[in-house]
Amino acid sequence: MDLRRLAYFVAVAEELHFGRAASRLAIAQPPLSRQIAQLECDLGVMLIDRSRSQIRLTQAGSVLLERARDVLDRLDRTQREIKRIGEGFSGHLRVAFVGSATYGALPNVIKAFRSAYPDVELALSAMNNAEQKRAVIQREIDIAIARPSLEDEELKSEPLLHEPLILALPDTSPLLEQQVTRLSALKAETFILYPRKPRPSFADHILNICLEEGFIPKSQVLAQDYQTAISLVSVGVGIALVPQSVSQSERPGVTYRAYEGHNPGTALSMNYRRDNRMPQLFNFLKTAQKVTRR
């Protein structure tokens, strides 16, 4: 059945008058009559009884009216749903992030995105950089929030946030008694670095900063992720250099402090496939830019 003819039939069936139906559809009456006649011919049944002064539906016509309304309503809802997905107001988006990104800007970005696009199903997962790179290349996720960025010719990277580094110290550390903590004076301290693998990683970034200050930590403890590293700091195993944003969340046993010395900071980035044209992805990027520029 032709969907246009179904729509024409519904108009005639509801108006029970060819003239009013033609006016409603903004077409001439003769073409409308021909379309209804053709529909009856296609189905091989009479849908409208024209034998009286006022037309009426046959039994087959009454059933078709009920079914046609349902079909046209489903089609209308499908068209609206598809349009919303195509404009990025519905559908889904898969976002992965490094553990330390859960502080600072990212939670605000996610909150703002969910507020602006409540019908987009947002799937969130924590991954390290290596896992994110594999997942985004293999299309298992759409956006990777990495530190600092993912390098691959198939990927595009956009900055999310740049922030300074600070010291995470056990709250029993003698260093807290000093008014100024110089990074170059910490060569004898145990540095907790993360992640343990893969390398190079954020751990190597920290080691390069120490090297700029003229030393390599003699004592190093490698943790697999940020959460483990901070846990080790809290129980006095050592100290760590961490992004400033993590100090926004208190951790028992840990004190955060600025330091003097080389501080190139650290950056979060949003990484995605160059061939990914999902409108949901670009809406997320625009939301992130708005949040971080406030």
Side-chain angles (χ1 to χ4, degrees):
M1 285 183 288
D2 186 285
L3 288 173
R4 183 184 59 172
R5 287 183 184 142
L6 271 185
Y8 287 172
F9 169 75
V10 169
V12 173
E14 290 179 343
E15 298 292 342
L16 291 177
H17 192 282
F18 277 93
R20 290 196 298 269
S23 177
R24 168 175 158 181
L25 295 167
I27 62 173
Q29 183 173 334
L32 176 59
S33 298
R34 289 195 295 270
Q35 290 294 329
I36 298 302
Q38 185 61 55
L39 179 59
E40 291 177 316
C41 181
D42 291 343
L43 294 173
V45 297
M46 182 181 292
L47 301 171
I48 297 175
D49 185 353
R50 303 170 179 81
S51 63
R52 302 186 180 192
S53 57
Q54 182 177 4
I55 67 173
R56 65 176 185 174
L57 296 178
T58 64
Q59 183 176 347
S62 295
V63 172
L64 181 60
L65 174 60
E66 180 182 348
R67 301 292 190 271
R69 281 171 171 164
D70 182 58
V71 168
L72 294 175
D73 179 63
R74 286 173 179 267
L75 178 62
D76 180 64
R77 285 188 282 114
T78 299
Q79 289 174 330
R80 284 187 278 113
E81 180 181 359
I82 290 173
K83 183 178 181 181
R84 284 181 59 79
I85 293 174
E87 293 174 344
F89 290 98
S90 187
H92 66 270
L93 185 68
R94 301 163 298 176
V95 180
F97 53 87
V98 292
S100 59
T102 55
Y103 305 91
L106 183 59
N108 293 330
V109 171
I110 292 171
K111 182 179 179 180
F113 182 81
R114 281 181 162 156
S115 176
Y117 305 96
D119 294 329
V120 175
E121 180 185 349
L122 196 59
L124 303 171
S125 55
M127 298 181 183
N128 62 38
N129 276 15
E131 292 170 334
Q132 289 189 67
K133 183 175 180 178
R134 178 198 59 77
V136 73
I137 288 176
Q138 295 184 5
R139 306 178 194 274
E140 295 174 6
I141 59 174
D142 303 304
I143 303 178
I145 309 298
R147 189 185 297 278
S149 62
L150 304 180
E151 302 297 331
D152 192 278
E153 60 182 12
E154 293 187 61
L155 303 181
K156 186 173 182 179
S157 180
E158 296 190 17
L160 176 61
L161 174 71
H162 188 274
E163 57 186 320
L165 293 166
I166 58 174
L167 284 168
L169 305 171
D171 58 11
T172 57
S173 173
L175 294 172
L176 294 174
E177 299 174 4
Q178 301 176 5
Q179 196 165 28
V180 176
T181 303
R182 299 184 184 280
L183 186 60
S184 58
L186 302 180
K187 60 181 69 178
E189 299 291 328
T190 297
F191 274 69
I192 301 172
L193 306 170
Y194 63 93
R196 179 183 297 109
K197 60 180 181 178
R199 305 285 289 271
S201 66
F202 185 72
D204 298 284
H205 179 55
I206 300 304
L207 290 174
N208 287 333
I209 291 172
C210 294
L211 193 59
E212 286 288 331
E213 288 293 306
F215 73 98
I216 295 177
K218 293 182 179 179
S219 179
Q220 302 174 19
V221 174
L222 291 170
Q224 186 52 42
D225 51 40
Y226 161 77
Q227 287 81 3
T228 304
I230 286 298
S231 295
L232 293 175
V233 172
S234 71
V235 295
V237 173
I239 66 175
L241 281 177
V242 299
Q244 185 183 51
S245 57
V246 305
S247 64
Q248 298 175 12
S249 178
E250 293 185 4
R251 176 66 181 261
V254 180
T255 299
Y256 299 99
R257 171 172 290 189
Y259 69 88
E260 285 192 1
H262 183 53
N263 194 337
T266 179
L268 281 175
S269 64
M270 301 177 289
N271 306 265
Y272 54 95
R273 287 186 61 95
R274 293 182 181 276
D275 58 0
N276 191 336
R277 294 292 180 265
M278 290 174 56
Q280 294 82 1
L281 183 152
F282 292 107
N283 286 342
F284 186 92
L285 298 179
K286 287 187 292 184
T287 301
Q289 291 168 355
K290 289 180 181 179
V291 170
T292 54
R293 287 175 182 173
R294 289 174 185 173

